[in-house]
Every structure is written in C-alpha cells, then in structure tokens.
Amino acid sequence: MKVFITGGAGNIGQYVTLAAAKKEHDVVVLSRTPEKYSGLAKMNPRIKIVQGFINEYDKIAEYVEDCDAVIHIALGWGNEPVTMCMEDTVPTINLMEISEKAGVERFIYTSSTAVLGHYESDMEESLAVSPTGLYGSTKAAAEAYILGFREYGAESGTIGEEVTMLRNIIRPGYTFSNPPYEGGSSQLDRRFRDITDAIVKGYPIQLVKNDGTQFLSAEQIAEVYIAILENGDMTGEIFFALGNTYITWERIAQIALEEHPKSNSTIELYDKGYGETPMMFSVKKMKDVLGLEFSGEDAVREHIKWNLEQSLKKMNTSS
C-alpha cells in the first residue's frame, strides 16, 4: 500500500510512519519543514517526506493522487472558535473529500478522548460526545463529518453518489514518545520532565493526589493504526487507544525515584478531590476487534529513563 500521513514526523506520527514502512508500505509524510526531519527518512528507504501545510489543498491533491490510504494525525490550532475551525476542522474535511475524489481506499482520522468532555466509569466509544473545550469540539465536529460522509449531497428527492472510501477513527489519550532517531519528536507536555528535573536536583515533587491516566506510548499506539490500516473492509468504527491500566503521576514519580535512587526528593501530594477509583475508558473494543491490548507501565518506565538522561545532561551542562 502507498500511505499518505499528515503529522507523520510528530510525537505519534513518527512511530506510525516507521511501523507502516516496516510493514513494507510506501509512506509519504507531509511536513511543514521536511529538512528538520531528514533523520526519519533515513531510517527506511520507503519513507519520503514532502513539504506542505494541511490547508494547501492543491498540493495535498497531488500528493494523495496515487495513494491507497490516508492517515490524518496533524493538528491545526486556534485560540478562538472560528480560528480553531478554520485551522483544524476545515482542513480535515477538505483532506477527507480530496482523498475520496482521488480514489483513496482508506482514511484514518486521529481524534481524541477529549470529544467526550465528561468522565464516568467504564466509558465506551458509543457514548454521546459532549466536548467542554475547543480542542474537543473541533475533534467532535470532524468525527461527525467523517462518519456522516456516506454519500454526496443530492437534489431533493434523489439519492447522492455513494462514498466508497473506508473511514475509521482513533481516539488517543495521553500518548508519549522517546525520539526514535536523533532530532526526533517527543510529547510537548512538560510533566515527565518536571518530575525528572526535580529528582536530579533533589527538589520536592509536587503532584495532585490520584491524578493520572491510561498512558500509552507512541510506539504502542502505532500498532493500532497499522491494525486498522490492514483490517479488511471495516468502516465507520471508532476506537479508544489507551493503556489498560490507570497510572497516577505519583506512581510515575515513584518509578523515577527507583531509577535515580541517589535523589533526596520527596513526593508532596495535593488533594483536589479526585477519587481513589479512577474513571476509565474501556479498551475492550480495541482488544476484541483489533486483537490489541497494552499495559503502559513498562513503556512509562522507559520514558522516565530517557527523561532522566535529558535532565542529567541539562544539569551537567549548566553546572
């Protein structure tokens, strides 16, 4: 298969790109700055990085013309409703329409657990979306277009032309990565590094009691993308992509202290009323349909080790 990937050099995308190439798919990665990610292309001859923005639709149409599948991971951003819609929702809809018209067979969209907005016990994909922020709203809006694009519009009283492209959705939660090559990407969230910085300096680690999530590494979530990419004629399906265990930030700090036992740091917890029983997203569908299930703790430990190395380098450089 020839696969076009937006955001294919980012936190999640770099591992999806590498996983697809390893499975002998030819991969075309859209990047605003290809020269910045030349190391990714060097990792596998099947990877090609091309220049462009997700709203440069003429370029996009050229890139997807002979592709069998499109994986959309890139995120546009805006701090106001109209800007967020124009920077993320509209490019997603355009990419989907361009892909269908080009004869692309499969389209995979990267949404988010943020579309739900609220939390309850054992959340499943079938729950109604109820976003509470612009990020969740733009993801929910794009989901609606992707699932609703089953036929083209038609004149009153007639049936529109049927859409043939298979369309599926992945909803990641907190996904982190160690760079797979020199200059590769990692997640933008600072909390892992804040913990390891505090530990190497011997400072207290201040965290919220019972705060955590179902962590998953980018290398693990890449398996979800590949499973959907290669899964027959499945269409219109949504999958949560998270670890099967709830890991607290307190536990992460404990693991970091285990990995750096010389530290004098202590963990200070602040109670914000989070209950001891976590609200969990169900990963049953991912297991039952795709045959995939992940425990996040081993990957979390490896990520902590990498962050500790970076924190120690920074401290040694500044001293």
Side-chain angles (χ1 to χ4, degrees), residues 3 12 72 77 81 92 99 101 124 141 144 168 184 202 228 232 248 278 298:
V3 186
I12 292 175
H72 183 34
W77 195 256
T92 296
S99 299
K101 289 180 176 179
E124 296 183 344
N168 295 289
I228 294 174
T248 64
D298 288 345

Side-chain angles (χ1 to χ4, degrees), residues 28-76:
V28 179
V29 175
L30 182 73
S31 172
R32 291 172 294 181
T33 52
E35 66 281 358
K36 185 178 177 182
Y37 301 104
S38 59
L40 178 61
K42 292 176 182 177
M43 294 192 72
N44 192 304
R46 290 185 176 273
I47 299 171
K48 178 182 179 182
I49 303 181
V50 296
Q51 195 280 330
F53 292 77
I54 58 173
N55 59 359
E56 292 183 312
Y57 305 127
D58 289 342
K59 276 189 178 181
I60 297 290
E62 291 179 11
Y63 292 145
V64 305
E65 186 62 39
D66 59 345
C67 289
D68 303 292
V70 169
I71 299 176
H72 183 34
I73 305 174
L75 173 68

Side-chain angles (χ1 to χ4, degrees), residues 5 17 19 49 70 74 113 120 130 132 145 148 154 217 257 270 276 278 319:
I5 305 180
T17 295
I49 303 181
V70 169
T113 55
E120 55 188 73
S130 182
T132 56
Y145 270 92
S217 75
L257 286 168
Y270 293 85
E276 292 187 6
S319 61

Side-chain angles (χ1 to χ4, degrees), residues 76-236:
W77 195 256
N79 294 318
E80 297 176 347
V82 172
T83 308
M84 191 69 172
C85 178
M86 296 305 296
E87 294 296 324
D88 191 72
T89 310
V90 171
T92 296
I93 297 167
N94 271 286
L95 176 59
M96 177 184 65
E97 183 176 317
I98 289 167
S99 299
E100 162 65 17
K101 289 180 176 179
V104 170
E105 297 173 6
R106 301 168 186 271
F107 188 93
I108 301 173
Y109 174 60
T110 307
S111 184
S112 169
T113 55
V115 298
L116 294 186
H118 60 284
Y119 294 95
E120 55 188 73
S121 298
D122 201 28
M123 292 170 282
E124 296 183 344
E125 289 88 346
S126 58
L127 281 174
V129 298
S130 182
T132 56
L134 291 180
Y135 174 68
S137 296
T138 194
K139 291 297 186 184
E143 281 193 10
Y145 270 92
I146 289 162
L147 296 175
F149 186 40
R150 300 186 181 191
E151 62 181 38
Y152 287 88
E155 297 296 329
S156 178
T158 64
I159 299 174
E161 182 182 350
E162 183 180 354
V163 170
T164 60
M165 185 172 64
L166 306 176
R167 293 150 289 108
N168 295 289
I169 295 167
I170 297 175
R171 290 176 179 168
Y174 192 115
T175 308
F176 59 86
S177 64
N178 299 348
Y181 63 96
E182 187 69 31
S185 301
S186 186
Q187 86 289 351
L188 297 176
D189 190 299
R190 283 280 315 177
R191 283 177 284 184
F192 275 98
R193 186 65 54 81
D194 288 344
I195 288 171
T196 57
D197 280 352
I199 283 174
V200 300
K201 294 175 181 177
Y203 294 165
I205 308 164
Q206 299 179 335
L207 302 167
V208 176
K209 184 178 181 181
N210 297 327
D211 183 24
T213 191
Q214 292 163 257
F215 291 95
L216 194 66
S217 75
E219 188 170 10
Q220 291 169 321
I221 200 174
E223 294 185 45
V224 181
Y225 283 88
I226 300 303
I228 294 174
L229 181 69
E230 299 180 341
N231 192 304
D233 296 329
M234 181 177 68
T235 191

